[in-house]
Amino acid sequence: MSAQAHVHDHDSPEGLVSVDDARERVLSQVQKLAPLRLPLTDAYGCVAAEDVLATHDLPEFASSAMDGFAVRASDVAGATPSQPRDLKIVGRSSIGQEPAGTVGAGETMHIATGAPVPAGADAIVPIENAIVEGDELVRLLDGPAPGTHVRPRGEDVHEGDVLVPGGKRLGAPELGLLANSGHPTPLVHPRPRVVVLSTGDELVTPTETPAFGQVRDANSFLIFGALRDMGAMPVLAGIVRDDVESLRETIFSFEIQADAFVSSGGVSVGERDVVKAAFFRRGEVDFYKVAMQPGMPQGFGHVEGKPYFGLPGNPVSVFVSLEAFVRPAILKMMGRRHLFRPEVTARLTEEVRGPRGKLQFARVDVRRESGGWSATPTGARGSNLISTVARANGLALIPAGTESAPAGANVKVMLFRSSED
Ligand code: AMP
Ligand code: MG
């Protein structure tokens, strides 16, 4: 066996892998992250790792829906303006406080909206139907049925109810419900921390002025944005030179912070030895030639037990690879159930020519029109220009084997953002 026994090359022409197969291989090798208890603000957007059960009724006490008087309904049954009932005022129930005392027969208490209904009382007479006669007496003009204007205990949730089922993503309503029910640290699948690195001797940061032949690093930021959109936590490790030691050093110095790695560049035929050699003994990364355009060379495997995505260098290829492979895998790590973008069938407004034998991800501007969806290409075929992605909101999938999808043809489009964004 050679020194690079852990690296597999699927690079021969007959080794072309379909996009679906490549995605399957990736997905079969990533798992949900182990659940953690997180404070609600950190748990936002994460998936509940278990059913969260109510440990109390919600609300926890019956309260008044009106300002008025807490009464025993039986004391005021039949009361009308012409036949009022007089009750003795024995106190006041204010919001946020346990009522001092109870309401006995012939008695009542002042009560504010939201204040607890005192023991003994079972209905509220609104202030409009009461005439207060001094401090101790009130004349009530209405005889409400039991329960009138009372918000019962447990009206919202009963003890033992499922507040949030396992597998559900925590959005704003779930956070509110969990907070209200006394679950400040739900068990969730955490956001993966993803270490991002850009390889290339030609790269400089966007704050630098490139010398002739140098290129500003686009991919770190493209990947950062995509990861944030997924709900992951990107950690930018910066630019790494095309050299085994630098790559190893960077990867292993960030390893402690990583649940996964995404690198760009260095996976095309001439360069992959650098990436391969960097993983020697500490990782297992496969290189595939995927039947897709753009984005053909792809590396995927594990380094120190953590998923490693080795994307191509061209920013458009990076974007498509993120959509095709990284996003579903990261969502799976987050415990998300729906891993794929929504798709619509759209009518092409212009011809799209496809590469023979490869699935083409054509950048399109998708719009909803009266007759359905339309898709207009934002760049010529094969144009590997990042501006074509910036102008698009969808990726039209032109199947392998379709050399030309003419204007008017219906194609499937993955929507990666809404057209209003
Ligand atoms: P590679 O796969 O490393 O050969 O890169 C393919 C092409 O993408 C080359 O033209 C690179 O200069 C370009 N490229 C690689 N990495 C980046 C990056 N981080 N930002 C912008 N362009 C890049
Ligand atoms: Mg390179």
Side-chain angles (χ1 to χ4, degrees):
M1 284 239 260
S2 79
Q4 287 167 8
H6 292 278
V7 177
H8 309 287
D9 226 315
H10 301 261
D11 206 18
S12 53
E14 65 275 16
L16 217 65
V17 179
S18 75
V19 172
D20 285 347
D21 286 352
R23 186 191 287 120
E24 245 341 284
R25 287 186 203 186
V26 170
L27 286 176
S28 68
Q29 290 181 63
V30 300
Q31 316 308 335
K32 282 187 247 195
L33 292 184
L36 280 181
R37 292 206 171 274
L38 291 180
L40 289 170
T41 48
D42 292 337
Y44 168 73
C46 296
V47 170
E50 60 181 4
D51 288 352
V52 185
L53 303 183
T55 50
H56 316 276
D57 285 348
L58 194 69
E60 289 187 64
F61 54 88
S63 63
S64 177
M66 300 289 272
D67 289 337
F69 288 88
V71 299
R72 298 184 165 214
S74 55
D75 281 351
V76 290
T80 63
S82 56
Q83 285 185 304
R85 299 283 191 284
D86 291 349
L87 294 179
K88 182 173 183 235
I89 301 172
V90 295
R92 176 179 296 276
S93 178
S94 306
I95 56 169
Q97 286 174 32
E98 188 174 354
T102 60
V103 170
E107 295 178 343
T108 185
M109 275 193 200
H110 287 281
I111 193 163
T113 305
V117 175
D122 60 4
I124 308 299
V125 178
I127 193 84
E128 305 84 81
N129 296 328
I131 299 164
V132 178
E133 311 257 344
D135 286 347
E136 298 227 323
L137 195 73
V138 63
R139 177 152 294 178
L140 299 175
L141 314 178
D142 186 29
T148 303
H149 304 311
V150 172
R151 298 175 184 150
R153 172 186 172 130
E155 185 180 31
D156 204 352
V157 169
H158 284 107
E159 181 181 336
D161 284 355
V162 176
L163 295 168
V164 177
K168 186 150 196 216
R169 192 174 182 209
L170 304 184
E174 287 72 27
L175 289 199
L177 181 58
L178 291 174
N180 211 189
S181 319
H183 291 275
T185 56
L187 191 68
V188 296
H189 299 287
R191 298 172 185 275
R193 295 158 306 168
V194 184
V195 170
V196 178
L197 36 110
S198 287
T199 69
D201 285 339
E202 74 281 29
L203 301 178
V204 297
T205 69
T207 57
E208 292 172 271
T209 304
F212 185 83
Q214 293 185 320
V215 174
R216 294 186 191 88
D217 172 19
N219 293 342
S220 289
F221 302 93
L222 177 60
I223 297 168
F224 175 92
L227 289 167
R228 285 287 286 264
D229 283 352
M230 295 169 207
M233 294 204 294
V235 178
L236 295 192
I239 295 167
V240 185
R241 300 296 161 213
D242 289 318
D243 141 72
V244 178
E245 266 321 302
S246 315
L247 192 57
R248 283 173 69 91
E249 241 170 62
T250 307
I251 290 170
F252 296 118
S253 69
F254 277 89
E255 189 255 312
I256 188 107
Q257 300 179 53
D259 295 307
F261 296 93
V262 179
S263 70
S264 64
V267 296
S268 52
V269 176
E271 294 180 303
R272 58 175 55 176
D273 285 347
V274 174
V275 180
K276 277 197 274 193
F279 299 131
F280 175 53
R281 289 187 200 285
R282 296 184 74 172
E284 183 165 346
V285 175
D286 288 357
F287 291 91
Y288 300 107
K289 221 168 164 181
V290 182
M292 65 194 282
Q293 197 215 35
M296 193 161 78
Q298 298 285 336
F300 177 72
H302 286 83
V303 173
E304 300 289 87
K306 295 161 180 185
Y308 187 102
F309 300 88
L311 309 186
N314 177 276
V316 179
S317 305
V318 167
F319 183 79
V320 170
S321 307
L322 287 164
E323 288 293 327
F325 306 116
V326 181
R327 187 172 190 276
I330 295 289
L331 295 188
K332 184 174 177 193
M333 291 173 78
M334 296 181 72
R336 299 275 295 272
R337 288 179 288 203
H338 301 291
L339 306 183
F340 305 114
R341 294 286 196 188
E343 281 183 7
V344 296
T345 299
R347 183 175 277 268
L348 284 174
T349 61
E350 292 168 25
E351 183 192 29
V352 176
R353 299 194 61 80
R356 197 204 305 258
K358 290 179 197 163
L359 173 64
Q360 186 186 184
F361 292 84
R363 282 77 66 201
V364 292
D365 176 29
V366 189
R367 280 160 201 272
R368 200 174 168 92
E369 317 220 304
S370 51
W373 296 87
S374 74
T376 302
T378 58
R381 170 201 165 188
S383 69
N384 273 339
L385 307 174
I386 187 65
S387 64
T388 66
V389 183
R391 283 195 298 272
N393 60 355
L395 292 172
L397 307 174
I398 313 295
T402 308
E403 275 180 64
S404 162
N410 279 321
V411 291
K412 277 213 166 117
V413 183
M414 286 167 58
L415 298 177
F416 63 80
R417 59 179 162 190
S418 83
S419 46
E420 290 78 39
D421 286 351

